[in-house]
Amino acid sequence: NLLKSTDGMDNLVRCLMVTKNFEKISDEKKEQIITKGIEIFSKFSFVEARTDLITHEAGISKGLLFYYFGNKKNFYLYLFKHTVDLLTQDLEYEGTYDNFYEIIFYMMDMKYNLITKYPNETKFLNMVSKETHKEVSKDIRNILSIYHKKSKEKSSKIILSAVKKLKLRQDIDTQKIIESLSLYIDAIVMKYLHLYQDKPMELFDNFHEFKKDVKEYLDLMIYGIVIE
């Protein structure tokens, strides 16, 4: 079990450290346990995913699960951290486009490709976002805060590359433009996540429509709505 601490992040670090026994096993066995664990938690909440089901699907005994992770909570958080790392990888811009929208949509396509490459991880992340059980909720918030910070930093760099392709007014604060665009894009994404909250993967079946909507909204922001 986790050691008691007044700092939630300390608890999280301790939780992730208990997996040292798991890291010693073969990559093939690790991948099997991780894949099956994510598959289960993409369908069931933390409480609903019984230990018996986890160990049966992963092909290990309860004793081994506890040896590798200490308890179900640690396993759950390990999978969550693993998923966050997968879905924030490779979000870097290589500087090959000369158009604002090409760069913005390049960023969205990268995220889309990651999500379609890892459908179960995406469903798991969606399940985690709805998790309210007190045993894991604080640690979830800690990991999500790291995820959002990491994702925001990478997205901001790409948006800066896109903004540099625009002919900005001389009196404009570039940092405020980046922050405004980030907020604007996030709001559009949230709109679609809300629309597809019960069927998140369908959003990606309508990705072309989503990108068209993003362009229309961004056009309003960039070119304005008032005739002077």
Side-chain angles (χ1 to χ4, degrees), residues 114-146:
L114 280 171
I115 287 167
T116 52
K117 184 178 179 180
Y118 301 109
N120 282 337
E121 285 81 0
T122 301
K123 291 174 186 175
F124 173 41
L125 201 60
N126 186 55
M127 286 291 287
V128 173
S129 68
K130 301 174 184 177
E131 185 61 65
T132 58
H133 195 273
K134 62 182 181 180
E135 190 175 349
V136 293
S137 58
K138 182 183 286 188
D139 292 307
I140 286 171
R141 289 196 302 271
N142 286 331
I143 295 175
L144 279 177
S145 69
I146 295 169

Side-chain angles (χ1 to χ4, degrees), residues 16-35 37 58 60 64-70 74-75 78-79 82:
L16 297 176
M17 283 176 63
V18 301
T19 61
K20 60 184 179 181
N21 292 324
F22 180 64
E23 300 301 336
K24 295 175 183 177
I25 67 177
S26 70
D27 289 342
E28 183 180 355
K29 190 63 178 176
K30 270 194 288 191
E31 184 178 352
Q32 178 189 344
I33 294 170
I34 289 171
T35 300
I60 58 174
L64 273 180
L65 180 69
F66 295 137
Y67 176 69
Y68 294 149
F69 298 99
N74 291 345
F75 182 48
Y78 178 90
L79 295 176
H82 173 83

